[in-house]
Amino acid sequence: MSLDYLESEQSVNKESKHNRTLRMKRNWLSIVLVVAVEAYCLRGGFGPYPLQAEDIVVSPDKQFNSIVPNALYMLKKAKSDLGKGSSPLNGEEALERYGFTALQEACDAFAEGMGRPIPVKICEDTLATLNSLLFSHAEHNKNVQKHNIVLLMSESWGYYLSTLSSKNCQLMPEMERHLHEDLLFDNFTSVRNGTARSLECLTVATPFKGFFFSPHHYTTLPTSIAKAFCKSGYSTTFITGMDPGWGNVQEGLTVQGFDDIVAMYEMKSAHPEYKECCIGVYDHYMLNSLMEILEKPAKSPKFIMGLTTTNHPPLDLPDDIKLPELPDTLVNSRNFSGKRDVVRQYLRGFQYANQSIGNLLTRFKESPAADNTIIIICGDHSLRSIIDYNNVDESFRNRILMYVYLPPALRQPHHKSATHKYGNHYDILPTLASFALNDVDYLHIGRDLLADSSSVTECAYNEDALLCDERQRARAERFTNAREALLNIYFDLFLKKNELPYPRTHIL
Protein backbone atom coordinates (compact mmCIF):
# COMPACT_ATOMS: atom_id res chain seq x y z
CA MET A 1 0.00 0.00 0.00
CA SER A 2 1.51 3.29 -1.07
CA LEU A 3 2.03 6.28 1.22
CA ASP A 4 -0.13 8.45 -1.08
CA TYR A 5 -3.03 6.02 -0.71
CA LEU A 6 -2.80 6.03 3.10
CA GLU A 7 -2.69 9.81 3.20
CA SER A 8 -5.69 9.97 0.87
CA GLU A 9 -7.68 7.52 3.03
CA GLN A 10 -6.84 9.44 6.21
CA SER A 11 -7.96 12.67 4.53
CA VAL A 12 -11.29 11.06 3.52
CA ASN A 13 -11.82 9.74 7.06
CA LYS A 14 -11.09 13.16 8.55
CA GLU A 15 -13.51 14.78 6.11
CA SER A 16 -16.15 12.14 6.83
CA LYS A 17 -15.72 12.64 10.58
CA HIS A 18 -15.94 16.40 10.11
CA ASN A 19 -19.15 16.05 8.08
CA ARG A 20 -20.67 13.78 10.72
CA THR A 21 -19.84 16.34 13.38
CA LEU A 22 -21.43 19.09 11.32
CA ARG A 23 -24.55 16.96 10.75
CA MET A 24 -24.82 16.22 14.46
CA LYS A 25 -24.48 19.92 15.28
CA ARG A 26 -27.15 20.77 12.70
CA ASN A 27 -29.43 18.06 14.11
CA TRP A 28 -29.01 19.34 17.67
CA LEU A 29 -29.51 22.89 16.49
CA SER A 30 -32.70 21.82 14.70
CA ILE A 31 -33.96 20.09 17.84
CA VAL A 32 -33.20 23.14 19.99
CA LEU A 33 -34.95 25.41 17.47
CA VAL A 34 -38.02 23.13 17.31
CA VAL A 35 -38.22 22.99 21.13
CA ALA A 36 -37.78 26.78 21.35
CA VAL A 37 -40.51 27.41 18.75
CA GLU A 38 -42.87 24.97 20.49
CA ALA A 39 -42.17 26.60 23.85
CA TYR A 40 -42.78 30.02 22.34
CA CYS A 41 -46.07 28.88 20.78
CA LEU A 42 -47.24 27.14 23.95
CA ARG A 43 -46.30 30.01 26.25
CA GLY A 44 -47.24 32.76 23.84
CA GLY A 45 -43.91 34.60 24.01
CA PHE A 46 -40.73 34.88 26.06
CA GLY A 47 -41.68 38.06 27.93
CA PRO A 48 -42.12 38.19 31.72
CA TYR A 49 -45.87 37.51 31.35
CA PRO A 50 -47.15 34.77 29.05
CA LEU A 51 -50.17 35.34 26.84
CA GLN A 52 -53.47 34.49 28.48
CA ALA A 53 -56.76 33.27 27.04
CA GLU A 54 -58.00 36.88 27.20
CA ASP A 55 -55.35 37.90 24.66
CA ILE A 56 -57.07 35.80 22.01
CA VAL A 57 -59.74 38.50 21.75
CA VAL A 58 -58.00 41.37 19.97
CA SER A 59 -60.84 42.80 17.91
CA PRO A 60 -64.63 43.25 17.85
CA ASP A 61 -64.55 40.94 14.80
CA LYS A 62 -65.22 37.41 16.11
CA GLN A 63 -64.09 35.79 12.85
CA PHE A 64 -60.76 37.58 13.09
CA ASN A 65 -60.31 36.53 16.72
CA SER A 66 -60.73 32.87 15.77
CA ILE A 67 -57.56 32.93 13.61
CA VAL A 68 -55.33 34.70 16.14
CA PRO A 69 -54.09 31.79 18.32
CA ASN A 70 -51.72 29.14 17.04
CA ALA A 71 -52.62 25.45 17.10
CA LEU A 72 -50.16 24.49 19.84
CA TYR A 73 -51.39 27.21 22.18
CA MET A 74 -55.01 26.22 21.58
CA LEU A 75 -54.17 22.59 22.32
CA LYS A 76 -52.64 23.67 25.63
CA LYS A 77 -55.62 25.94 26.35
CA ALA A 78 -58.10 23.16 25.61
CA LYS A 79 -56.34 20.87 28.07
CA SER A 80 -56.20 23.64 30.67
CA ASP A 81 -59.89 24.54 30.20
CA LEU A 82 -60.86 20.92 30.63
CA GLY A 83 -59.23 21.01 34.05
CA LYS A 84 -61.06 24.21 35.06
CA GLY A 85 -64.51 22.89 34.28
CA SER A 86 -66.40 20.31 36.27
CA SER A 87 -69.62 18.35 35.94
CA PRO A 88 -72.81 18.14 37.98
CA LEU A 89 -73.23 15.35 40.50
CA ASN A 90 -75.33 12.42 39.30
CA GLY A 91 -78.51 11.45 41.11
CA GLU A 92 -76.99 9.10 43.66
CA GLU A 93 -74.06 11.42 44.41
CA ALA A 94 -76.29 14.51 44.73
CA LEU A 95 -78.78 12.88 47.07
CA GLU A 96 -76.00 11.54 49.29
CA ARG A 97 -74.08 14.85 49.29
CA TYR A 98 -77.12 16.86 50.40
CA GLY A 99 -78.57 14.36 52.86
CA PHE A 100 -81.50 12.71 51.09
CA THR A 101 -82.28 9.03 50.78
CA ALA A 102 -84.50 9.24 47.70
CA LEU A 103 -85.53 11.61 44.90
CA GLN A 104 -89.05 11.79 46.33
CA GLU A 105 -87.71 13.14 49.61
CA ALA A 106 -85.66 15.85 47.88
CA CYS A 107 -88.55 16.86 45.59
CA ASP A 108 -90.94 17.15 48.53
CA ALA A 109 -88.45 19.22 50.56
CA PHE A 110 -87.98 21.62 47.64
CA ALA A 111 -91.71 21.90 46.91
CA GLU A 112 -92.46 22.53 50.58
CA GLY A 113 -89.81 25.25 50.71
CA MET A 114 -91.33 26.87 47.62
CA GLY A 115 -94.82 26.71 49.16
CA ARG A 116 -96.11 24.16 46.66
CA PRO A 117 -98.28 21.08 47.24
CA ILE A 118 -96.66 17.84 48.43
CA PRO A 119 -96.08 15.03 47.83
CA VAL A 120 -94.67 15.73 44.38
CA LYS A 121 -95.84 13.31 41.73
CA ILE A 122 -92.75 11.72 40.19
CA CYS A 123 -93.17 10.18 36.75
CA GLU A 124 -90.90 7.67 35.02
CA ASP A 125 -89.14 10.51 33.19
CA THR A 126 -87.11 12.13 35.98
CA LEU A 127 -86.08 15.03 33.74
CA ALA A 128 -89.73 15.82 33.00
CA THR A 129 -90.50 15.74 36.73
CA LEU A 130 -87.69 18.20 37.47
CA ASN A 131 -88.76 20.44 34.59
CA SER A 132 -92.21 20.80 36.09
CA LEU A 133 -90.73 21.39 39.54
CA LEU A 134 -87.90 23.85 38.80
CA PHE A 135 -89.59 25.95 36.09
CA SER A 136 -92.66 28.17 36.04
CA HIS A 137 -94.58 29.70 33.15
CA ALA A 138 -95.00 33.46 32.88
CA GLU A 139 -98.53 34.00 31.61
CA HIS A 140 -99.22 35.66 28.27
CA ASN A 141 -100.33 39.26 28.74
CA LYS A 142 -100.64 41.51 25.72
CA ASN A 143 -101.31 44.54 27.90
CA VAL A 144 -98.18 44.29 30.05
CA GLN A 145 -95.79 47.20 29.53
CA LYS A 146 -92.34 46.00 28.58
CA HIS A 147 -89.84 47.78 30.80
CA ASN A 148 -86.16 47.86 29.96
CA ILE A 149 -84.16 45.77 32.42
CA VAL A 150 -80.61 46.52 33.57
CA LEU A 151 -78.95 43.84 35.72
CA LEU A 152 -75.50 44.96 36.82
CA MET A 153 -73.10 42.76 38.78
CA SER A 154 -70.54 44.91 40.60
CA GLU A 155 -67.13 43.50 41.48
CA SER A 156 -66.57 42.95 45.26
CA TRP A 157 -69.63 45.05 46.18
CA GLY A 158 -69.78 43.73 49.73
CA TYR A 159 -72.23 44.95 52.35
CA TYR A 160 -69.90 45.45 55.32
CA LEU A 161 -68.04 48.51 54.02
CA SER A 162 -71.35 50.27 53.33
CA THR A 163 -72.10 50.16 57.07
CA LEU A 164 -68.95 52.21 57.75
CA SER A 165 -69.90 55.06 55.43
CA SER A 166 -70.80 58.40 57.05
CA LYS A 167 -70.50 62.16 56.48
CA ASN A 168 -66.98 62.10 57.83
CA CYS A 169 -66.07 58.88 56.06
CA GLN A 170 -67.54 58.83 52.57
CA LEU A 171 -67.12 55.29 51.32
CA MET A 172 -70.14 55.59 49.01
CA PRO A 173 -69.81 58.96 47.29
CA GLU A 174 -72.70 59.80 44.94
CA MET A 175 -74.27 56.39 45.69
CA GLU A 176 -75.48 57.19 49.21
CA ARG A 177 -78.51 59.22 48.14
CA HIS A 178 -79.68 56.59 45.68
CA LEU A 179 -79.62 53.94 48.39
CA HIS A 180 -81.95 56.15 50.45
CA GLU A 181 -84.21 57.08 47.52
CA ASP A 182 -84.64 53.55 46.22
CA LEU A 183 -84.43 50.00 47.58
CA LEU A 184 -81.39 48.51 49.30
CA PHE A 185 -81.66 44.89 50.46
CA ASP A 186 -79.49 44.47 53.54
CA ASN A 187 -79.72 40.69 54.06
CA PHE A 188 -78.63 39.56 50.60
CA THR A 189 -75.91 37.05 49.69
CA SER A 190 -74.19 35.72 46.60
CA VAL A 191 -75.01 32.07 45.94
CA ARG A 192 -71.48 31.30 44.76
CA ASN A 193 -68.05 32.65 45.68
CA GLY A 194 -65.90 34.26 43.00
CA THR A 195 -66.74 36.38 39.97
CA ALA A 196 -66.83 33.58 37.38
CA ARG A 197 -69.06 31.34 39.46
CA SER A 198 -71.45 34.19 40.31
CA LEU A 199 -71.63 35.15 36.63
CA GLU A 200 -72.55 31.58 35.72
CA CYS A 201 -75.07 31.50 38.56
CA LEU A 202 -76.85 34.65 37.37
CA THR A 203 -76.81 33.72 33.68
CA VAL A 204 -77.46 29.95 33.67
CA ALA A 205 -77.67 28.84 37.35
CA THR A 206 -75.30 25.88 37.00
CA PRO A 207 -74.54 24.39 40.46
CA PHE A 208 -71.07 23.21 39.41
CA LYS A 209 -68.03 25.35 38.64
CA GLY A 210 -66.54 26.15 35.26
CA PHE A 211 -69.52 25.54 32.96
CA PHE A 212 -68.15 27.95 30.35
CA PHE A 213 -64.92 25.91 30.32
CA SER A 214 -66.59 22.51 30.27
CA PRO A 215 -67.19 20.39 27.16
CA HIS A 216 -70.90 21.28 27.58
CA HIS A 217 -70.49 25.02 27.12
CA TYR A 218 -71.73 24.80 23.52
CA THR A 219 -75.13 23.63 24.80
CA THR A 220 -77.83 26.27 25.17
CA LEU A 221 -79.48 25.77 28.56
CA PRO A 222 -83.21 26.20 29.36
CA THR A 223 -82.07 27.98 32.53
CA SER A 224 -80.50 30.83 30.52
CA ILE A 225 -81.71 34.22 31.74
CA ALA A 226 -81.00 35.74 28.31
CA LYS A 227 -83.18 33.14 26.58
CA ALA A 228 -86.10 33.91 28.89
CA PHE A 229 -85.92 37.61 28.01
CA CYS A 230 -85.29 36.92 24.34
CA LYS A 231 -88.45 34.78 24.11
CA SER A 232 -90.34 37.59 25.85
CA GLY A 233 -89.43 40.00 23.04
CA TYR A 234 -86.33 41.63 24.49
CA SER A 235 -83.02 42.38 22.80
CA THR A 236 -80.23 41.02 25.00
CA THR A 237 -76.82 42.61 25.62
CA PHE A 238 -73.94 41.74 27.91
CA ILE A 239 -71.46 44.52 28.62
CA THR A 240 -68.17 44.57 30.51
CA GLY A 241 -64.97 46.56 30.36
CA MET A 242 -62.69 43.52 30.38
CA ASP A 243 -61.43 41.29 27.58
CA PRO A 244 -64.35 38.97 26.82
CA GLY A 245 -61.91 36.08 26.47
CA TRP A 246 -61.73 35.98 30.28
CA GLY A 247 -63.69 33.07 31.65
CA ASN A 248 -64.67 32.13 28.09
CA VAL A 249 -67.36 34.80 28.42
CA GLN A 250 -67.56 35.74 24.72
CA GLU A 251 -68.24 32.23 23.53
CA GLY A 252 -70.22 31.04 26.53
CA LEU A 253 -72.71 33.89 26.69
CA THR A 254 -73.24 34.01 22.92
CA VAL A 255 -74.38 30.39 23.06
CA GLN A 256 -76.72 31.25 25.95
CA GLY A 257 -78.69 33.79 23.93
CA PHE A 258 -77.04 37.18 24.32
CA ASP A 259 -77.45 39.03 21.02
CA ASP A 260 -74.48 41.33 21.64
CA ILE A 261 -71.35 41.09 23.75
CA VAL A 262 -69.96 44.60 24.24
CA ALA A 263 -66.52 44.51 25.82
CA MET A 264 -63.18 46.27 25.84
CA TYR A 265 -62.51 46.35 22.09
CA GLU A 266 -66.02 47.37 21.08
CA MET A 267 -65.84 50.25 23.56
CA LYS A 268 -62.37 51.33 22.48
CA SER A 269 -63.48 51.25 18.85
CA ALA A 270 -66.42 53.57 19.60
CA HIS A 271 -64.50 55.67 22.16
CA PRO A 272 -60.73 55.81 21.49
CA GLU A 273 -60.43 58.23 24.43
CA TYR A 274 -61.36 55.51 26.94
CA LYS A 275 -58.48 54.58 29.23
CA GLU A 276 -57.78 51.13 30.57
CA CYS A 277 -55.77 49.21 33.15
CA CYS A 278 -54.51 45.63 33.09
CA ILE A 279 -58.03 44.32 33.76
CA GLY A 280 -59.79 46.37 31.10
CA VAL A 281 -61.58 49.65 30.46
CA TYR A 282 -62.22 51.57 33.68
CA ASP A 283 -65.70 51.17 35.14
CA HIS A 284 -66.86 54.76 34.70
CA TYR A 285 -66.21 54.46 30.96
CA MET A 286 -67.97 51.10 30.79
CA LEU A 287 -71.01 52.49 32.61
CA ASN A 288 -71.08 55.41 30.18
CA SER A 289 -71.30 52.91 27.30
CA LEU A 290 -74.04 51.02 29.14
CA MET A 291 -76.05 54.24 29.39
CA GLU A 292 -75.54 54.89 25.68
CA ILE A 293 -76.98 51.45 24.87
CA LEU A 294 -79.94 52.09 27.15
CA GLU A 295 -80.68 55.51 25.59
CA LYS A 296 -80.34 54.34 21.99
CA PRO A 297 -83.79 54.17 20.30
CA ALA A 298 -85.01 50.63 19.65
CA LYS A 299 -88.17 48.86 18.55
CA SER A 300 -88.00 46.26 21.31
CA PRO A 301 -87.35 46.55 25.06
CA LYS A 302 -83.80 45.91 26.25
CA PHE A 303 -82.32 43.46 28.69
CA ILE A 304 -78.80 44.64 29.53
CA MET A 305 -76.58 42.68 31.85
CA GLY A 306 -73.27 44.16 32.94
CA LEU A 307 -70.16 43.30 34.95
CA THR A 308 -67.83 45.89 36.49
CA THR A 309 -64.18 44.98 36.99
CA THR A 310 -62.03 47.88 38.26
CA ASN A 311 -62.69 47.20 41.96
CA HIS A 312 -60.48 44.12 41.78
CA PRO A 313 -56.79 43.58 42.52
CA PRO A 314 -54.45 45.15 41.53
CA LEU A 315 -56.97 47.98 42.14
CA ASP A 316 -55.43 50.15 39.46
CA LEU A 317 -57.65 53.25 39.56
CA PRO A 318 -57.70 56.14 37.04
CA ASP A 319 -55.07 58.80 37.73
CA ASP A 320 -57.49 61.68 37.20
CA ILE A 321 -60.26 60.39 39.45
CA LYS A 322 -61.11 62.46 42.53
CA LEU A 323 -62.27 60.60 45.62
CA PRO A 324 -63.04 61.82 49.18
CA GLU A 325 -60.20 61.55 51.66
CA LEU A 326 -60.13 58.48 53.89
CA PRO A 327 -59.66 59.15 57.62
CA ASP A 328 -56.66 57.40 59.16
CA THR A 329 -58.88 56.09 61.95
CA LEU A 330 -60.75 54.00 59.37
CA VAL A 331 -57.67 52.75 57.54
CA ASN A 332 -56.02 51.76 60.85
CA SER A 333 -59.14 50.10 62.25
CA ARG A 334 -58.64 46.73 63.97
CA ASN A 335 -61.48 45.43 61.79
CA PHE A 336 -59.06 45.32 58.86
CA SER A 337 -56.05 43.06 58.50
CA GLY A 338 -52.92 43.33 56.38
CA LYS A 339 -50.70 46.23 55.42
CA ARG A 340 -52.32 49.62 55.85
CA ASP A 341 -51.44 50.80 52.34
CA VAL A 342 -53.22 47.72 50.95
CA VAL A 343 -56.26 48.42 53.16
CA ARG A 344 -56.31 52.01 51.91
CA GLN A 345 -56.21 50.87 48.28
CA TYR A 346 -59.11 48.45 48.81
CA LEU A 347 -61.17 51.21 50.43
CA ARG A 348 -60.38 53.56 47.55
CA GLY A 349 -61.45 50.86 45.10
CA PHE A 350 -64.79 50.59 46.93
CA GLN A 351 -65.16 54.39 46.84
CA TYR A 352 -64.46 54.43 43.11
CA ALA A 353 -66.99 51.67 42.42
CA ASN A 354 -69.72 53.54 44.30
CA GLN A 355 -68.89 56.88 42.75
CA SER A 356 -69.00 55.35 39.25
CA ILE A 357 -72.32 53.57 39.84
CA GLY A 358 -73.76 56.60 41.63
CA ASN A 359 -72.88 58.88 38.72
CA LEU A 360 -74.56 56.42 36.34
CA LEU A 361 -77.75 56.47 38.43
CA THR A 362 -77.74 60.28 38.69
CA ARG A 363 -77.47 60.57 34.91
CA PHE A 364 -80.06 57.82 34.43
CA LYS A 365 -82.66 59.48 36.67
CA GLU A 366 -82.37 62.67 34.62
CA SER A 367 -83.11 60.80 31.38
CA PRO A 368 -86.38 59.57 29.82
CA ALA A 369 -85.23 55.99 30.48
CA ALA A 370 -86.04 56.46 34.18
CA ASP A 371 -89.77 56.15 33.40
CA ASN A 372 -89.59 52.72 31.78
CA THR A 373 -86.48 50.97 33.14
CA ILE A 374 -85.91 48.66 36.10
CA ILE A 375 -82.35 48.52 37.45
CA ILE A 376 -80.97 45.84 39.75
CA ILE A 377 -77.37 46.12 40.95
CA CYS A 378 -75.80 43.41 43.08
CA GLY A 379 -72.34 42.32 44.14
CA ASP A 380 -70.70 39.26 42.66
CA HIS A 381 -69.32 38.36 46.09
CA SER A 382 -68.34 40.11 49.29
CA LEU A 383 -65.03 41.84 49.98
CA ARG A 384 -62.97 39.23 51.79
CA SER A 385 -59.29 40.12 51.52
CA ILE A 386 -58.90 42.81 54.20
CA ILE A 387 -61.72 42.19 56.69
CA ASP A 388 -60.70 40.58 59.98
CA TYR A 389 -63.59 38.33 61.01
CA ASN A 390 -62.11 37.90 64.44
CA ASN A 391 -63.40 41.43 65.07
CA VAL A 392 -66.25 41.65 62.53
CA ASP A 393 -69.48 39.68 62.76
CA GLU A 394 -69.25 36.48 60.72
CA SER A 395 -72.63 37.19 59.09
CA PHE A 396 -70.93 39.88 56.94
CA ARG A 397 -68.65 37.32 55.26
CA ASN A 398 -71.02 36.54 52.40
CA ARG A 399 -73.40 39.52 52.45
CA ILE A 400 -73.44 41.75 49.39
CA LEU A 401 -75.29 44.91 48.39
CA MET A 402 -78.44 44.55 46.29
CA TYR A 403 -79.99 47.77 44.98
CA VAL A 404 -83.28 48.05 43.08
CA TYR A 405 -84.65 51.01 41.12
CA LEU A 406 -88.27 50.89 40.01
CA PRO A 407 -89.99 53.45 37.75
CA PRO A 408 -92.52 55.59 39.66
CA ALA A 409 -95.50 53.76 38.10
CA LEU A 410 -94.38 50.41 39.58
CA ARG A 411 -93.65 51.51 43.14
CA GLN A 412 -95.82 50.14 45.94
CA PRO A 413 -95.97 51.13 49.64
CA HIS A 414 -94.86 47.67 50.81
CA HIS A 415 -91.61 47.72 48.77
CA LYS A 416 -89.61 49.67 51.38
CA SER A 417 -90.40 47.16 54.12
CA ALA A 418 -89.40 44.30 51.80
CA THR A 419 -85.76 45.37 51.86
CA HIS A 420 -85.07 43.54 55.12
CA LYS A 421 -86.01 40.18 53.64
CA TYR A 422 -83.35 37.52 53.30
CA GLY A 423 -82.44 36.93 49.65
CA ASN A 424 -79.78 35.72 47.22
CA HIS A 425 -78.93 35.61 43.52
CA TYR A 426 -81.54 32.89 42.90
CA ASP A 427 -84.27 35.43 43.80
CA ILE A 428 -83.41 37.96 41.09
CA LEU A 429 -85.08 36.28 38.11
CA PRO A 430 -88.35 35.50 39.98
CA THR A 431 -88.39 39.16 41.15
CA LEU A 432 -88.07 40.41 37.55
CA ALA A 433 -90.45 37.84 36.07
CA SER A 434 -93.67 39.58 37.10
CA PHE A 435 -92.49 42.85 35.53
CA ALA A 436 -90.94 41.59 32.31
CA LEU A 437 -91.43 37.97 31.26
CA ASN A 438 -94.35 37.08 29.01
CA ASP A 439 -95.57 33.66 27.85
CA VAL A 440 -92.29 31.89 28.56
CA ASP A 441 -90.93 29.19 30.85
CA TYR A 442 -88.24 30.38 33.25
CA LEU A 443 -86.18 28.93 36.09
CA HIS A 444 -88.12 29.57 39.28
CA ILE A 445 -86.10 28.39 42.27
CA GLY A 446 -86.28 31.52 44.44
CA ARG A 447 -88.82 34.07 45.61
CA ASP A 448 -90.17 37.36 44.29
CA LEU A 449 -88.59 39.75 46.77
CA LEU A 450 -91.04 42.54 45.90
CA ALA A 451 -94.21 40.47 46.29
CA ASP A 452 -96.53 41.62 49.06
CA SER A 453 -96.52 38.12 50.49
CA SER A 454 -94.90 34.81 49.67
CA SER A 455 -95.04 31.24 50.95
CA VAL A 456 -91.44 30.55 49.83
CA THR A 457 -89.00 29.85 52.65
CA GLU A 458 -87.09 33.05 53.29
CA CYS A 459 -83.31 32.69 53.46
CA ALA A 460 -80.06 34.15 52.16
CA TYR A 461 -78.19 31.14 50.76
CA ASN A 462 -74.48 30.97 50.02
CA GLU A 463 -72.66 27.73 49.27
CA ASP A 464 -70.61 28.27 52.45
CA ALA A 465 -73.24 29.81 54.72
CA LEU A 466 -76.96 30.32 55.31
CA LEU A 467 -78.58 33.43 56.79
CA CYS A 468 -82.17 33.13 57.97
CA ASP A 469 -84.51 33.48 60.92
CA GLU A 470 -83.05 31.04 63.44
CA ARG A 471 -86.53 29.68 64.10
CA GLN A 472 -86.67 28.62 60.45
CA ARG A 473 -83.10 27.30 60.14
CA ALA A 474 -83.93 23.58 59.94
CA ARG A 475 -86.59 24.21 57.27
CA ALA A 476 -84.31 26.58 55.33
CA GLU A 477 -81.37 24.15 55.38
CA ARG A 478 -83.57 21.32 54.13
CA PHE A 479 -85.00 23.52 51.36
CA THR A 480 -81.64 24.85 50.15
CA ASN A 481 -80.04 21.38 50.27
CA ALA A 482 -82.92 20.01 48.21
CA ARG A 483 -82.55 22.83 45.68
CA GLU A 484 -78.82 22.15 45.20
CA ALA A 485 -79.40 18.39 44.92
CA LEU A 486 -82.17 18.78 42.34
CA LEU A 487 -80.19 21.31 40.28
CA ASN A 488 -77.30 18.85 40.08
CA ILE A 489 -79.58 16.01 39.05
CA TYR A 490 -81.39 18.20 36.52
CA PHE A 491 -78.20 19.39 34.83
CA ASP A 492 -76.67 15.91 34.88
CA LEU A 493 -79.68 14.45 33.06
CA PHE A 494 -80.14 17.40 30.69
CA LEU A 495 -76.50 17.59 29.62
CA LYS A 496 -76.26 13.84 29.04
CA LYS A 497 -79.43 13.91 26.97
CA ASN A 498 -78.25 16.91 24.92
CA GLU A 499 -74.56 16.08 24.67
CA LEU A 500 -73.11 17.39 21.42
CA PRO A 501 -70.92 15.10 19.30
CA TYR A 502 -68.76 18.09 18.24
CA PRO A 503 -68.53 21.83 18.96
CA ARG A 504 -70.77 24.21 17.03
CA THR A 505 -67.92 26.02 15.32
CA HIS A 506 -70.32 28.22 13.38
CA ILE A 507 -71.04 30.11 16.58
CA LEU A 508 -67.56 31.68 16.57
Side-chain angles (χ1 to χ4, degrees):
M1 186 178 294
S2 68
L3 185 60
D4 291 341
Y5 176 80
L6 288 174
E7 289 177 348
S8 176
E9 188 174 1
Q10 288 175 355
S11 176
V12 170
N13 288 338
K14 287 181 180 180
E15 184 178 351
S16 178
K17 185 177 180 180
H18 177 69
N19 289 339
R20 285 197 302 270
T21 302
L22 283 177
R23 284 197 300 270
M24 288 179 65
K25 287 181 177 179
R26 290 194 190 101
N27 289 340
W28 278 110
L29 182 60
S30 298
I31 292 171
V32 170
L33 285 173
V34 168
V35 170
V37 170
E38 287 185 351
Y40 181 88
C41 292
L42 287 169
R43 192 174 188 272
F46 290 131
Y49 300 103
L51 292 178
Q52 303 294 321
E54 295 82 20
D55 298 309
I56 293 172
V57 183
V58 298
S59 162
D61 189 331
K62 297 177 180 62
Q63 295 289 344
F64 183 80
N65 290 333
S66 66
I67 64 172
V68 169
N70 63 74
L72 285 174
Y73 179 84
M74 289 307 292
L75 182 63
K76 184 192 76 167
K77 179 180 180 297
K79 185 177 180 180
S80 173
D81 288 353
L82 200 59
K84 294 177 184 176
S86 62
S87 298
L89 302 173
N90 63 37
E92 185 177 335
E93 292 170 336
L95 293 173
E96 182 180 356
R97 167 78 63 85
Y98 292 101
F100 298 97
T101 58
L103 180 64
Q104 182 72 61
E105 184 185 2
C107 288
D108 288 348
F110 174 78
E112 185 178 17
M114 291 292 291
R116 299 173 185 168
I118 57 171
V120 174
K121 184 178 180 180
I122 298 180
C123 63
E124 291 184 4
D125 186 344
T126 302
L127 189 57
T129 298
L130 295 179
N131 262 311
S132 64
L133 194 60
L134 300 176
F135 291 80
S136 290
H137 186 77
E139 296 301 325
H140 180 62
N141 186 351
K142 290 183 178 179
N143 298 320
V144 67
Q145 180 184 351
K146 294 289 186 66
H147 294 86
N148 296 318
I149 304 293
V150 175
L151 174 55
L152 180 64
M153 192 163 73
S154 181
E155 172 65 45
S156 300
W157 212 37
Y159 181 73
Y160 175 67
L161 292 186
S162 71
T163 66
L164 305 179
S165 188
S166 66
K167 288 183 179 179
N168 299 323
C169 175
Q170 297 180 51
L171 286 175
M172 307 192 77
E174 193 60 30
M175 189 66 201
E176 197 87 51
R177 75 176 184 90
H178 298 296
L179 298 182
H180 290 297
E181 290 174 1
D182 305 308
L183 306 176
L184 172 66
F185 286 79
D186 53 13
N187 285 306
F188 200 83
T189 60
S190 61
V191 170
R192 308 295 173 202
N193 297 316
T195 304
R197 293 208 69 198
S198 289
L199 181 60
E200 290 182 346
C201 179
L202 274 179
T203 53
V204 290
T206 46
F208 56 98
K209 69 176 183 178
F211 171 71
F212 291 152
F213 286 112
S214 76
H216 305 293
H217 80 270
Y218 292 101
T219 304
T220 303
L221 301 177
T223 55
S224 166
I225 190 171
K227 278 296 180 185
F229 279 96
C230 184
K231 290 179 180 178
S232 295
Y234 282 74
S235 64
T236 54
T237 301
F238 181 83
I239 180 170
T240 181
M242 67 182 177
D243 283 337
W246 176 86
N248 223 17
V249 163
Q250 176 103 36
E251 191 169 281
L253 293 184
T254 301
V255 174
Q256 298 310 321
F258 281 92
D259 301 323
D260 293 303
I261 309 293
V262 179
M264 178 178 176
Y265 293 103
E266 286 81 2
M267 291 182 208
K268 293 281 286 183
S269 177
H271 291 279
E273 73 278 10
Y274 280 8
K275 297 177 182 178
E276 64 197 81
C277 61
C278 62
I279 293 178
V281 169
Y282 289 117
D283 285 349
H284 67 286
Y285 293 125
M286 185 277 280
L287 295 172
N288 177 68
S289 292
L290 187 156
M291 192 64 194
E292 288 178 347
I293 295 171
L294 184 60
E295 291 180 320
K296 188 176 181 180
K299 294 181 180 179
S300 58
K302 301 167 186 175
F303 172 67
I304 305 170
M305 185 170 177
L307 172 65
T308 70
T309 57
T310 307
N311 187 30
H312 185 285
L315 296 165
D316 181 2
L317 306 182
D319 294 331
D320 56 350
I321 206 75
K322 294 182 179 180
L323 298 170
E325 289 297 319
L326 290 169
D328 290 337
T329 51
L330 174 68
V331 177
N332 296 321
S333 168
R334 59 194 292 270
N335 293 341
F336 299 125
S337 61
K339 296 180 179 179
R340 296 299 106 173
D341 59 334
V342 174
V343 171
R344 184 180 295 276
Q345 193 65 6
Y346 268 95
L347 295 177
R348 282 176 53 77
F350 189 73
Q351 282 183 310
Y352 170 75
N354 284 286
Q355 182 169 287
S356 298
I357 296 171
N359 287 337
L360 165 75
L361 292 173
T362 299
R363 174 181 168 185
F364 162 76
K365 288 180 179 180
E366 295 171 352
S367 75
D371 292 328
N372 69 334
T373 301
I374 298 170
I375 294 181
I376 290 184
I377 306 172
C378 65
D380 58 345
H381 53 75
S382 64
L383 178 63
R384 300 157 293 188
S385 301
I386 61 169
I387 299 175
D388 187 346
Y389 288 103
N390 293 315
N391 301 315
V392 175
D393 192 296
E394 186 69 25
S395 67
F396 285 110
R397 187 180 291 273
N398 301 109
R399 287 166 73 182
I400 58 175
L401 290 160
M402 212 276 273
Y403 161 91
V404 178
Y405 169 86
L406 294 174
L410 296 181
R411 297 171 191 171
Q412 298 293 329
H414 69 270
H415 287 162
K416 278 289 185 181
S417 60
T419 57
H420 301 302
K421 293 178 180 178
Y422 292 102
N424 57 70
H425 283 155
Y426 284 148
D427 298 318
I428 290 177
L429 183 54
T431 300
L432 289 171
S434 60
F435 296 115
L437 300 187
N438 200 350
D439 195 22
V440 64
D441 290 336
Y442 67 97
L443 186 68
H444 189 180
I445 56 175
R447 67 201 303 258
D448 180 351
L449 293 172
L450 295 177
D452 197 7
S453 62
S454 173
S455 56
V456 180
T457 299
E458 186 180 326
C459 59
Y461 172 79
N462 174 272
E463 58 189 353
D464 291 334
L466 180 67
L467 302 181
C468 63
D469 185 327
E470 286 303 314
R471 295 168 296 181
Q472 296 290 321
R473 179 161 292 277
R475 177 186 173 97
E477 287 179 347
R478 186 169 171 79
F479 164 57
T480 54
N481 283 338
R483 180 169 58 191
E484 291 298 293
L486 296 182
L487 279 174
N488 273 279
I489 297 170
Y490 171 80
F491 278 104
D492 179 58
L493 295 174
F494 178 84
L495 292 174
K496 286 176 179 175
K497 182 179 179 181
N498 294 274
E499 191 168 11
L500 295 171
Y502 53 85
R504 297 187 212 169
T505 53
H506 66 273
I507 291 173
L508 295 177

